């Protein structure tokens, strides 16, 4: 493991560590420790130098731990887990699973998680700000059948699964903004990015990427270009390893149900979580004028229904971006 990640592990408890003690544990000089400490800011970590005493992290955290995540998986889910990668640093957990060309057997899945992403990707080409050790960055790769995928609704199904797992952690007031943003008190708490590949006719390989804000450090907050929320604001305090395992359990169950029953089985759940229905909205279509109207829920394929001048039309995720007026 690179020196700086060993240093972060030593600091993760949030206590003060002297430069001398850190140097001894790492086998480097105090000046070497100082050099590595300075580099931690590039990872979005707030490190405080306490005069005459040493260094401490502003926000302690529990490092991701593969064994602890595996131990919390449901038996039936663990049996189908092909691989679980946990990285200190990666460009993007979605890209890592896309590069990993292992052909997955039916019903098997792989997971990749990371403490930090250098090139975390959001929807519509945006960046997903991914500071070290505080939030959750998780991707899951699996196969989805032609019938289920063709019928639509997959991204909404994933959002429902993520919101359900967050509610099970004690989060009240979670809601969904079509097609798959998870909101808390009017601000974005979590986002989902789907990468689908495969020959026409299927089956398709789908990489589902989930980013959840648990505690956004001050150093990273100003880089986020939209109103955001994190779990710490809601008073929910959940261990990241536990949350990771809960997400995997919830996703696998939701995907099984989606493959077997299609999107129909999720429509009622969507309606309970829908933050948009009945509200005035604007839709942006590439190279086309803005469409404004009133949201009227979703159709049986998960497309958004918008009423404009007494006419209701449907719009598919991927074609448009939605803004609340
Ligand atoms: C969005 O814009 O709402 C989607 C955000 C998705 C972020 C997650 S973090 C884990 C995975 N890896 C990425 O590069 N993106 C997704």
């Amino acid at each position: 493991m690179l020196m700086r990640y060993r240093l972060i592990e030593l600091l993760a408890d949030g206590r003060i560590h002297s430069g001398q003690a850190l140097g001894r544990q790492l086998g480097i000089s105090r000046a070497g420790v100082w050099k590595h400490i300075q580099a931690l800011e590039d990872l979005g970590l707030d490190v405080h130098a306490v005069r005459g005493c040493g260094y401490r992290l502003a926000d302690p955290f529990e490092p991701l731990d593969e064994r602890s995540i595996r131990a919390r998986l449901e038996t039936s889910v663990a049996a189908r887990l092909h691989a679980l990668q946990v990285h200190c640093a990666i460009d993007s957990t979605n890209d890592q699973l896309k590069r990993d060309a292992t052909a997955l057997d039916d019903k098997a899945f792989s997971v990749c998680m990371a403490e930090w992403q250098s090139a975390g990707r959001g929807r519509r080409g945006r960046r997903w700000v991914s500071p070290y050790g505080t939030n959750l960055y998780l991707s899951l790769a699996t196969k989805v059948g032609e019938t289920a995928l063709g019928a639509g609704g997959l991204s909404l199904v994933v959002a429902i699964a993520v919101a359900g797992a967050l509610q099970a952690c004690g989060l009240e007031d979670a809601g969904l903004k079509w097609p798959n943003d998870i909101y808390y008190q009017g601000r974005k708490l979590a986002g989902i990015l789907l990468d689908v590949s495969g020959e026409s006719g299927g089956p398709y390989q789908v990489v589902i990427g989930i980013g959840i804000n648990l505690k956004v450090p001050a150093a990273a907050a100003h880089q986020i270009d939209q109103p955001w929320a994190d779990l710490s604001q809601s008073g929910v305090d959940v261990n990241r390893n536990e949350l990771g395992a809960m997400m995997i359990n919830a996703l696998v169950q939701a995907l099984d149900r989606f493959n077997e029953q299609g999107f129909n089985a999720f429509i009622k759940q969507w309606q309970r979580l829908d933050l948009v229905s009945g509200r005035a909205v604007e839709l942006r279509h590439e190279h086309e004028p803005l469409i404004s109207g009133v949201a009227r829920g979703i159709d049986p394929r998960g497309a958004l229904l918008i009423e404009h001048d007494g006419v209701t039309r449907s719009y598919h995720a991927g074609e448009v971006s939605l803004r609340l007026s």
Side-chain angles (χ1 to χ4, degrees):
M1 196 192 289
L2 281 177
M3 189 65 76
R4 65 173 166 175
Y5 302 123
R6 286 174 55 206
L7 175 60
I8 295 170
E9 265 189 8
L10 295 174
L11 291 170
D13 60 11
R15 298 215 181 101
I16 299 178
H17 295 260
S18 72
Q20 197 178 20
L22 291 169
R24 201 174 44 245
Q25 283 159 290
L26 297 170
I28 57 175
S29 66
R30 281 167 63 178
V33 171
W34 168 235
K35 200 183 78 195
H36 288 294
I37 290 275
Q38 284 179 310
L40 297 190
E41 280 177 19
D42 298 343
L43 302 178
L45 284 167
D46 287 335
V47 191
H48 294 175
V50 186
R51 193 182 266 265
C53 295
Y55 309 100
R56 70 171 183 82
L57 279 188
D59 300 304
F61 70 96
E62 172 158 4
L64 293 174
D65 175 48
E66 186 188 329
R67 272 206 301 190
S68 159
I69 298 163
R70 279 184 188 273
R72 291 172 158 112
L73 293 179
E74 280 163 27
T75 318
S76 60
V77 171
R80 290 156 57 188
L81 177 61
H82 172 76
L84 170 60
Q85 310 176 28
V86 176
H87 296 270
C88 291
I90 200 90
D91 50 356
S92 147
T93 52
N94 266 38
D95 291 346
Q96 172 66 8
L97 288 184
K98 279 166 64 185
R99 280 190 296 263
D100 180 6
T102 322
L104 289 168
D105 293 340
D106 271 351
K107 298 211 157 203
F109 61 93
S110 292
V111 174
C112 176
M113 295 172 71
E115 298 282 14
W116 182 71
Q117 298 186 114
S118 59
R121 290 192 291 118
R123 292 179 66 233
R124 317 195 79 77
R126 292 169 94 150
R127 167 178 179 224
W128 188 257
V129 177
S130 310
Y132 198 101
T134 53
N135 298 332
L136 195 84
Y137 320 117
L138 180 151
S139 298
L140 182 146
T142 190
K143 277 186 189 165
V144 174
E146 160 80 358
T147 325
L149 198 67
L154 177 62
S155 42
L156 286 74
V157 166
V158 174
I160 292 168
V162 172
L166 289 171
Q167 286 173 331
C169 294
L171 181 71
E172 290 165 12
D173 300 340
L176 299 177
K177 175 175 163 255
W178 184 91
N180 56 14
D181 286 341
I182 290 95
Y183 268 58
Y184 171 70
Q185 294 191 343
R187 286 166 291 130
K188 185 155 160 175
L189 175 74
I192 291 161
L193 178 72
L194 295 191
D195 287 312
V196 181
S197 58
E199 305 282 310
S200 102
Y204 297 91
Q205 158 120 342
V206 181
V207 177
I208 298 165
I210 301 169
I212 304 173
N213 295 332
L214 272 78
K215 173 89 178 79
V216 176
H222 66 91
Q223 298 171 26
I224 306 179
D225 61 359
Q226 56 187 322
W228 58 269
D230 67 22
L231 274 184
S232 75
Q233 297 161 347
S234 71
V236 170
D237 183 16
V238 59
N239 170 308
R240 286 188 312 143
N241 291 306
E242 188 177 347
L243 184 63
M246 286 173 86
M247 285 299 149
I248 299 169
N249 287 330
L251 272 179
V252 171
Q253 278 162 11
L255 289 167
D256 281 352
R257 194 154 155 237
F258 179 63
N259 271 320
E260 283 155 20
Q261 302 172 33
F263 184 63
N264 254 333
F266 294 87
I267 291 183
K268 286 225 162 65
Q269 276 172 285
W270 178 271
Q271 287 166 344
R272 278 198 291 273
L273 291 162
D274 187 353
L275 291 175
V276 177
S277 189
R279 295 192 52 179
V281 294
E282 285 176 348
L283 281 189
R284 200 173 287 276
H285 219 214
E286 228 173 301
H287 312 304
E288 284 190 28
L290 214 64
I291 304 156
S292 43
V294 177
R296 295 290 180 218
I298 54 169
D299 77 2
R301 297 165 59 94
L304 181 69
L305 297 171
I306 300 291
E307 184 186 331
H308 175 79
D309 280 347
V311 181
T312 301
R313 290 201 178 83
S314 60
Y315 297 88
H316 289 274
E319 288 172 358
V320 288
S321 68
L322 171 72
R323 210 190 281 168
L324 303 177
S325 301

